[in-house]
Amino acid sequence: MTKRQKFHRYLVWTFWAGILFTIGFTYYYMDRSIPDRLNVVLEEEEAFDFPIPLQATILSESEEVVLGNGSNIPSGEIHIVKNQPFTVCGKQEGSYQIGLKLFGWLQLKEIQVDVVDTRYAIPCGAPIGIYLKSDGVMVIGTGQVTDTTGMIVEPAAGYLQSGDYIEAINGQALQDKEQLVEAVRKLDGSTVSLEVRRGEELMEVAMDPVESEEGGYKLGVWVRSDTQGIGTMTYLDLNGNFGALGHGISDSDTGEVVQISDGSLYETEIMGIEKGSIGKPGVMSGVIYYGPGSGLGNISRNTEEGIFGTVNDKFAKRVNSEPLEIGYRQDVRKGPAVLRSGVSGEIKDYEIEIQKVDYSTSHKNKSLVIKVVDEELLQLTGGIVQGMSGSPIIQDGKLVGAVTHVFIQDSTKGYGIFIENMLDAGGQ
């Protein structure tokens, strides 16, 4: 093969590789830019504008969802091109599907359309103390034990692993780690039967305890049964249900979202703020009051999208903000917005800028990228600090999201979650 032929073949391969890359990137871009799910308010016409670089066809698979493209003629199928808006109108509450095809034949994706009544919630921004009790005794890791002969052994290795939950020992149900410690103290060296939950699987584990050189028998396992911290209340609905944090509470050692049996909210007082720096996020420190009369509510769920439950009358009476209409993901746009926070000791609105909106569902608590531009907040905290997670985000008079994470390398920036994702996770 001559050099000219090799060069020609190289050009052909480069051409087709470029075509494949362009097709793949275009598909990826549209898949990420076009939401998998839309919420539309009953009997209201919602306008959308998908970033589609090619001609596309949108089809409604149900008579309850009517499409429009400006012709004023309701349709179940419309054709759109780049930057051409279209409308969706829901005629009956429920979940429906619309299909999106390129060139009228290449199926790109199915989009779920939820037709809902107008929803309202009260954006809060108040700091709260959080206490969670795990559902079972959580295994953090296994450890070594020095036995009576001086040998170092690890009796739980291969039997238990980080993230397991011990629910019972020798048939005795466990509520907390103190009960496990007491049960282990009474062991006589015989084989121990543990009831362990690993993910969705429930299993029986039989293992032999080791008599330690200090005396008594040990299982060689590190455990935890509760966790606590400070966060921010995001919203309160009209029925006394709340959502907070915008992300789950994870165990500091395993990194797993803690599976809980229950939890409580308590009064907290912010004592100080450590500003963030490059590579080190700032933190909001405070005191949680666990005394009588300091409870504010009960926690029933700990999910990837936040914690949820109900507040008591004491907390409800403190809330003096007006309910706002819920803004769905199609309502969120790049541009000015406000963040509501009580980080200063007083609940205030601070100016932020929404810099990026990811309409896909691949990162539910990192759908927004925000930047703090309010000089007062920048002087106070340097931007976003730990403890501000859950601070509600308001845009165009609607509650649209909540702060979830701070950028490690730039404390003025952070991630946010769509408020509809929190509402769905909380079953509210």
Side-chain angles (χ1 to χ4, degrees):
M1 183 181 296
T2 65
K3 289 184 178 180
R4 185 171 183 176
Q5 288 175 320
K6 289 182 179 179
F7 181 70
H8 180 264
R9 176 173 290 186
Y10 171 78
L11 289 178
V12 171
W13 277 106
T14 302
F15 171 78
W16 284 110
I19 292 293
L20 291 175
F21 174 80
T22 301
I23 293 173
F25 179 79
T26 301
Y27 182 90
Y28 173 80
Y29 169 77
M30 290 191 293
D31 184 62
R32 291 294 301 270
S33 302
I34 298 171
D36 300 310
R37 181 179 179 184
L38 301 173
N39 281 284
V40 298
V41 177
L42 181 66
E43 296 293 349
E44 289 189 13
E45 197 173 71
E46 301 272 4
F48 300 92
D49 182 5
F50 290 165
I52 300 176
L54 306 169
Q55 185 184 60
T57 300
I58 301 178
L59 308 93
S60 174
E61 300 178 4
S62 173
E63 295 181 356
E64 285 79 8
V65 175
V66 179
L67 306 173
N69 60 358
S71 65
N72 295 322
I73 302 176
S75 174
E77 178 178 329
I78 58 173
H79 303 284
I80 60 173
V81 293
K82 183 179 181 181
N83 297 326
Q84 178 183 341
F86 66 96
T87 61
V88 178
C89 183
K91 299 298 183 180
Q92 181 176 327
E93 288 189 46
S95 294
Y96 309 96
Q97 297 287 330
I98 59 175
L100 180 63
K101 294 182 178 181
L102 297 180
F103 312 114
W105 59 271
L106 180 60
Q107 183 71 33
L108 178 62
K109 71 191 311 180
E110 292 285 331
I111 303 172
Q112 180 178 324
V113 178
D114 293 327
V115 182
V116 299
D117 198 0
T118 305
R119 291 197 281 184
Y120 295 86
I122 302 171
C124 297
I128 48 174
I130 300 165
Y131 174 82
L132 296 182
K133 189 175 181 180
S134 64
D135 183 14
V137 179
M138 185 179 188
V139 175
I140 300 171
T142 59
Q144 296 177 336
V145 177
T146 302
D147 66 17
T148 54
T149 66
M151 291 185 60
I152 298 176
V153 295
E154 195 169 350
Y159 296 97
L160 300 173
Q161 62 186 41
S162 296
D164 286 348
Y165 287 83
I166 304 174
E167 296 191 348
I169 179 170
N170 291 334
Q172 174 192 343
L174 298 174
Q175 300 297 322
D176 51 46
K177 66 178 181 182
E178 285 73 21
Q179 290 184 337
L180 176 62
V181 170
E182 179 62 20
V184 170
R185 188 182 67 81
K186 297 178 180 178
L187 294 179
D188 58 6
S190 57
T191 300
V192 175
S193 175
L194 301 176
E195 190 171 303
V196 177
R197 188 176 72 254
R198 180 174 297 167
E200 299 297 324
E201 182 183 0
L202 192 63
M203 62 182 71
E204 294 288 339
V205 174
M207 59 177 292
D208 296 321
V210 171
E211 186 175 5
S212 70
E213 62 179 358
E214 296 92 0
Y217 288 87
K218 295 185 177 181
L219 299 179
V221 59
W222 297 101
V223 296
R224 181 180 292 129
S225 60
D226 58 10
T227 187
Q228 54 275 320
I230 294 175
T232 298
M233 178 74 76
T234 305
Y235 67 83
L236 187 65
D237 73 10
L238 304 184
N239 296 314
N241 301 305
F242 78 84
L245 297 187
H247 61 74
I249 295 180
S250 301
D251 182 79
S252 58
D253 293 290
T254 67
E256 300 289 333
V257 173
V258 178
Q259 299 177 28
I260 68 169
S261 58
D262 56 50
S264 300
L265 300 179
Y266 292 95
E267 292 183 347
T268 186
E269 181 180 358
I270 304 304
M271 306 298 291
I273 300 168
E274 180 182 341
K275 289 186 178 182
S277 57
I278 296 177
K280 181 182 178 182
V283 62
M284 185 169 69
S285 59
V287 176
I288 301 175
Y289 297 104
Y290 294 107
S294 60
L296 299 176
N298 298 311
I299 303 170
S300 58
R301 297 188 187 188
N302 179 35
T303 74
E304 295 282 357
E305 293 79 29
I307 61 172
F308 305 92
T310 57
V311 298
N312 57 25
D313 289 340
K314 182 177 182 179
F315 183 89
K317 290 177 180 178
R318 292 182 180 179
V319 179
N320 53 19
S321 301
E322 293 297 320
L324 294 182
E325 183 178 340
I326 295 298
Y328 298 105
R329 66 186 66 207
Q330 68 266 16
D331 299 315
V332 187
R333 58 181 176 80
K334 291 191 288 187
V338 297
L339 174 156
R340 181 167 295 179
S341 173
V343 66
S344 69
E346 176 187 358
I347 296 178
K348 299 178 64 175
D349 289 346
Y350 301 97
E351 294 178 359
I352 63 170
E353 180 181 292
I354 298 177
Q355 296 189 327
K356 181 179 179 181
V357 184
D358 183 353
Y359 294 102
S360 70
T361 57
S362 55
H363 301 287
K364 287 188 176 181
N365 56 25
K366 293 184 177 180
S367 297
L368 306 174
V369 173
I370 66 171
K371 180 179 177 66
V372 175
V373 296
D374 193 289
E375 288 298 328
E376 181 181 350
L377 186 58
L378 290 172
Q379 287 293 325
L380 180 66
T381 65
I384 299 168
V385 297
Q386 293 178 358
M388 289 176 64
S389 295
S391 299
I393 298 171
I394 301 167
Q395 187 179 57
D396 298 327
K398 296 181 179 180
L399 175 59
V400 299
V403 176
T404 56
H405 302 84
V406 60
F407 280 21
I408 301 297
Q409 299 300 322
D410 185 355
S411 61
T412 67
K413 291 185 177 182
Y415 288 110
I417 183 174
F418 291 127
I419 198 66
E420 65 180 85
N421 288 342
M422 290 188 68
L423 291 165
D424 291 342
Q428 299 156 354

